[in-house]
Amino acid sequence: DKYCFLSCVDCCGAMILIGAISLLVGFILTFPRNLAASNEISPSAPHKITSQYASCWQAVNTSMAKCYFLATTSSGSTVYCTTNSFSTGVRQSTDYGSTFSTVYSTSYRFLAIAVSSSGQYVYSGTAAGPIYKNNNYGATASWSVAYTPSNPYYYNWNSIACSSSGQYVVAMAFTDDVYLSQNYGGSFSSVFNVNRQIYTVGISGTGQYVVVATNEMANGLAYVYVNSNYGTGTYTQVTTVSNNVIYYIAVSYSGNYMYFAFTAGLYVSSNYGSTWTQTITNTILGCVACSSDASQVFTVYNSIMVSDSYGASGTFYTDLSGTFSAVAVSSTAEYAYALSYNDNILYLCVNDTASLMPNLAPTPVPTVSTSPTLIPTVTPTSALPTGVPLIPPTLMPSIVPTDSPTT
C-alpha cells in the first residue's frame, strides 16, 4: 500500500510505472494524485532556463526514506516531504534539502502536503484520517487537526493545494467531493460534488481559480473542471480526455496558465482553462510544476522534462534520466527539486551558474503571529467562456484502478 506522489509547488498558484499492462495497472494503483501545493509569490520578471540547467542536478540528499509527496516554499530554502510512515510522518528541511528531520508524526500516515509562499502555513492530509494544519512554519508544537470527515475510513487525502497566502485550501480524498477552506484551515466544507471519483485538485496563487480533475472508470473518461470564484459557486467542465487518467494539475499565480499531467502526456491552457492543447504526447507523466509566471515548466517520470517557454509544444528538453516520483520548484524556478523514489535520492538544481549554489545553512524560522488577518473575498474579474471543445481521445488503453481504503 505505498503511495508514490508527485508534488508541485509554486505552480499551483503556489506537482508518475511502465511496461506490460499489469505493471501499468500497478502504477496507477500506487501513483499519487495530488495536484498540488500552492506556494507562490506575486509574479516577477521571467527567470530564463539556460543550457547550464541541463547539467546542474546534484544529489543533495541520498537518504530520503521512501518519501512520496514533496513541497517547497517560494524561496526554495524550505522543503517538506511525507513518507506514508507512522514513525516519520511530516519531514522538513530548512537547508535546501540537505538534511531532513521529522517535525510531526501521529497514528496516521501522511499523504499530500501543501505549504504557503512564506512557509508559515502547512497543510497535510492523511490516509483514512483527518487533514492537519500548521500555522507556525512547521513547528512541532503547532500541528493540529483542521478537518475530520464523518467516516474517515474512506478518505485518503492524496491531493491538497493552497493559495500563496495560505488562506484558501482545496483538498480531495478519492471521493465525489472537493473540500474548501477560506480561513487558513479553520474550517472545511464540501463545495463541489460529482458522481465521479475526484483524482486531483489545483489552485492559483491568488486563490481565485480552482481546477479539479475527475476520472470515471466505467467509461474511461477523465474530466477537468474550473471554478473562477475562489472555490465557491459553479464548477465549469472545460475539457474531457478519453482512455486516460489525469494525475496532477499545476496552475500559475494568476491562473491564466494551467497544466495537467496524465497517462499520455501533458496538456496546457493559456486562457484560464478555456481551451487546451496537448504539448507532450505518448509519454506517461505523473507530476507537473511551474514557476509563478508559468514561463518555466517541469514534468517528470522516466526523466525530467523542462520547458522555458510556458510548456509550448517542441520546447521541452529531457534531462537526468531515472524514475522520478515528484518535482517541486521555487516561485522563480531558481531552485528545482526532483525526487527519485526508487533510489531515495533528492536532486537539487540551481537555475544559473554554480556560483549561485545556496549556502546550506539552516534558514532561521521567523517569529510571527499565529492569528492571521483574513483577506476579503473579492468578486472575480473574469469568467470562463462556454462552448469549449473537447480534447480528441488518445490511444492509451483504459485502465481501471481499484483503490482500497487504507486501514
Side-chain angles (χ1 to χ4, degrees), residues 3 53 59 78 136 147 186 188 190 218 235 336 381:
Y3 293 82
Y53 203 92
T78 299
N136 190 25
Y147 174 72
F188 281 83
S190 174
Y235 281 74
T381 56

Side-chain angles (χ1 to χ4, degrees), residues 383-407:
L384 292 170
T386 59
V388 179
L390 300 183
I391 294 175
T394 65
L395 299 179
M396 289 294 294
S398 175
I399 306 297
V400 182
T402 55
D403 291 77
S404 301
T406 303
T407 58

Side-chain angles (χ1 to χ4, degrees), residues 262-275:
F262 72 119
T263 45
L266 182 74
Y267 270 94
V268 179
S269 173
S270 59
N271 52 10
Y272 301 90
S274 297
T275 58

Side-chain angles (χ1 to χ4, degrees), residues 120-121 135 183-184 369-374:
Q120 180 177 355
Y121 299 98
N135 60 4
N183 56 2
Y184 298 89
S369 169
T370 57
S371 299
T373 302
L374 294 181

Side-chain angles (χ1 to χ4, degrees), residues 24 29 47 66 77 80 107 166 220 232 248 288 318 324 345 357 362 374 392:
L24 181 56
L29 293 179
H47 192 89
K66 296 298 182 182
S77 61
Y80 287 91
S107 58
T232 62
Y248 207 98
V288 58
T318 301
F324 297 95
I345 297 175
M357 281 299 294
L374 294 181

